[in-house]
Amino acid sequence: MIPKLNRTKIAIYLIWVVAALFTSTLLYLKTLEANGTDSWGKLFLVQFVVWNIWGGLSPLIFWLGKRFRIDKQTYYRGLLIHIVFAVLIVLAYLAMYSIVWNFFGIGAFSWPTFTAYFKIFFLNLFHWHFFIYMAIIGLAHAIQYQKELKQKQQESIALERALFKSELDMLKAQLSPHFLFNTINNVVSTIEQGKNDVASGMLIRLGDFLRIVLEESKHKLIPLHKELDNIKKYLEIEQFRNKELDVLIRSDKGHGQVMVPSFILQPLVENAIKHGISKSKEANRIEVGSEQKDYKLRLFVYNEGPGLNHEQLRKKGIGLENTTKRLEKLYGNKAHFELFSVNDGVMVEIQIPTKQML
């Protein structure tokens, strides 16, 4: 099976062969009408040579098309550059065309003959070959756009797979036996203590949260205000388990509609409780919020508790690793993730581009 790249090169080469066949046949018919003596074979040989000059120039033109794109951002600049290159390359082509006809016409190079041929070709063929250059540039752009489209499709498929796996990992974390068993044990304990209203409240909130997890996991992005509401419901369950847990959620209403990855904050909050607050009797406070600066949205989770050493800051757990991978897949290098110790606690910060920058 012929590789795709080779098939493209063969197809482009055949274009020049077909052009040679067409023009040599047309010239031969014209010579017959004028009682000329040139044979079709000679005319085809000449046309084959001169059209293959375009074949030799095509890689250079393809490179120029890739180097100087004509798109929305560079339309006028790119067009002007290619007009200049078209003039220069067509003049060079007509010079080579004239040399070829020199050798086939008189068997040697003659400057007067060359200049005569060049003048004729310039006056009669320049405009046609100018459009040939532009056609090659158009073909180069079409091939490049096709490659980029295919690459984007492949990236999209990879993103879908990564998000699907991330959602499964998220569901595993959300529905982990540790989380469920602790909540159920707390419910049983409150029932045994005769606090049926408290137990009912815990079960209702747990049910609400599980329903939200199943619904929101279908979406890649959700509005920020929904993400913060979901985190609030999650923390309400945690507050039943830890009555001393002090929760502060703050965010500007002005950017509540900014789209963020669904449940991007939940593993960060879970880590803050598991590895921060639960490790110190004096640690109770957890803060979750957002700030917007220019076209960047800053999301943060802060918890009281023991700070992290250099090794702990460098080595991320599964939850944080999945979070960074999701951000990379969604935003590339436009997103920023940072974990650091601050004010007798730990801060996790995410910066993502808002819609204007995507």
Side-chain angles (χ1 to χ4, degrees):
M1 187 175 180
I2 301 174
K4 187 172 182 180
L5 181 61
N6 290 340
R7 290 203 304 267
T8 302
K9 290 182 177 179
I10 291 172
I12 293 173
Y13 176 74
L14 288 176
I15 292 174
W16 307 123
V17 175
V18 170
L21 287 169
F22 177 79
T23 54
S24 59
T25 302
L26 187 63
L27 289 172
Y28 179 69
L29 294 176
K30 287 184 177 180
T31 59
L32 288 180
E33 289 183 2
N35 297 320
T37 58
D38 289 335
S39 66
W40 181 87
K42 177 183 176 181
L43 292 172
F44 174 74
L45 183 59
V46 173
Q47 293 302 310
F48 181 78
V49 171
V50 296
W51 281 110
N52 269 278
I53 294 173
W54 272 121
L57 292 171
S58 293
L60 170 62
I61 299 173
F62 268 71
W63 180 84
L64 290 172
K66 187 176 181 180
R67 176 65 179 81
F68 304 102
R69 295 285 293 271
I70 302 175
D71 50 31
K72 288 183 179 180
Q73 289 75 26
T74 61
Y75 180 82
Y76 293 106
R77 176 177 174 271
L79 190 60
L80 179 61
I81 288 173
H82 284 294
I83 288 174
V84 173
F85 278 123
V87 171
L88 295 175
I89 288 177
V90 171
L91 289 175
Y93 168 80
L94 294 178
M96 288 184 277
Y97 196 176
S98 303
I99 292 172
V100 170
W101 271 106
N102 252 257
F103 282 99
F104 279 97
I106 62 176
F109 181 80
S110 167
W111 181 255
T113 309
F114 168 80
T115 54
Y117 275 129
F118 185 81
K119 182 177 180 181
I120 293 171
F121 293 153
F122 178 80
L123 295 174
N124 292 279
L125 299 178
F126 178 86
H127 58 293
W128 291 112
H129 290 284
F130 179 89
F131 287 116
I132 288 174
Y133 173 93
M134 289 302 182
I136 297 173
I137 284 295
L139 179 62
H141 277 67
I143 293 174
Q144 186 64 27
Y145 288 142
Q146 185 183 33
K147 287 181 181 179
E148 291 175 357
L149 178 61
K150 185 176 180 181
Q151 183 179 357
K152 287 180 181 179
Q153 289 173 341
Q154 291 174 343
E155 290 175 353
S156 177
I157 292 172
L159 176 60
E160 290 289 343
R161 290 175 179 172
L163 287 176
F164 180 71
K165 183 179 182 302
S166 179
E167 288 167 0
L168 288 179
D169 292 338
M170 178 193 68
L171 286 172
K172 290 176 183 178
Q174 305 278 356
L175 304 176
S176 64
H178 180 270
F179 169 71
L180 287 175
F181 291 161
N182 279 348
T183 304
I184 292 171
N185 286 337
N186 286 335
V187 171
V188 172
S189 176
T190 54
I191 292 174
E192 290 175 347
Q193 296 171 20
K195 301 177 181 178
N196 294 336
D197 291 341
V198 175
S200 297
M202 291 179 67
L203 287 175
I204 290 171
R205 284 167 175 77
L206 177 61
D208 288 342
F209 183 71
L210 295 180
R211 176 181 55 78
I212 290 169
V213 169
L214 293 175
E215 288 179 357
E216 299 295 0
S217 64
K218 300 174 185 177
H219 307 289
K220 299 176 191 174
L221 302 172
I222 60 174
L224 175 61
H225 71 87
K226 275 192 175 184
E227 175 72 7
L228 295 177
D229 286 344
N230 296 339
I231 291 301
K232 183 178 180 181
K233 289 181 172 61
Y234 173 80
L235 286 170
E236 285 176 356
I237 299 173
E238 293 289 347
Q239 282 178 308
F240 273 102
R241 295 166 56 187
N242 180 3
K243 297 294 183 181
E244 302 299 321
L245 186 62
D246 181 16
V247 174
L248 175 62
I249 297 179
R250 55 190 177 90
S251 175
D252 255 347
K253 293 182 179 179
H255 47 83
Q257 294 301 321
V258 175
M259 303 300 285
V260 299
S262 61
F263 284 100
I264 196 69
L265 294 174
Q266 194 279 333
L268 307 183
V269 172
E270 186 174 356
N271 269 12
I273 294 172
K274 182 177 179 181
H275 300 292
I277 291 176
S278 64
K279 300 296 183 181
S280 173
K281 293 181 179 180
E282 291 77 22
N284 295 310
R285 187 174 182 79
I286 183 168
E287 295 183 20
V288 182
S290 68
E291 297 174 353
Q292 188 168 11
K293 184 178 180 181
D294 297 328
Y295 295 118
K296 287 280 188 177
L297 180 69
R298 174 179 174 264
L299 304 173
F300 63 87
V301 176
Y302 165 77
N303 65 270
E304 291 181 337
L308 302 177
N309 58 38
H310 178 73
E311 181 64 22
Q312 290 171 319
L313 290 172
R314 186 184 64 83
K315 187 177 180 181
K316 300 183 180 72
I318 294 176
L320 299 185
E321 189 67 30
N322 286 341
T323 300
T324 56
K325 286 181 179 178
R326 285 186 70 193
L327 292 170
E328 182 181 352
K329 291 294 182 182
L330 279 168
Y331 305 103
N333 60 3
K334 295 179 181 177
H336 176 75
F337 180 94
E338 189 171 1
L339 174 68
F340 51 92
S341 296
V342 59
N343 295 338
D344 298 324
V346 175
M347 175 81 79
V348 181
E349 181 179 285
I350 294 173
Q351 290 187 24
I352 59 175
T354 54
K355 185 177 180 180
Q356 294 93 326
M357 291 189 66
L358 292 178

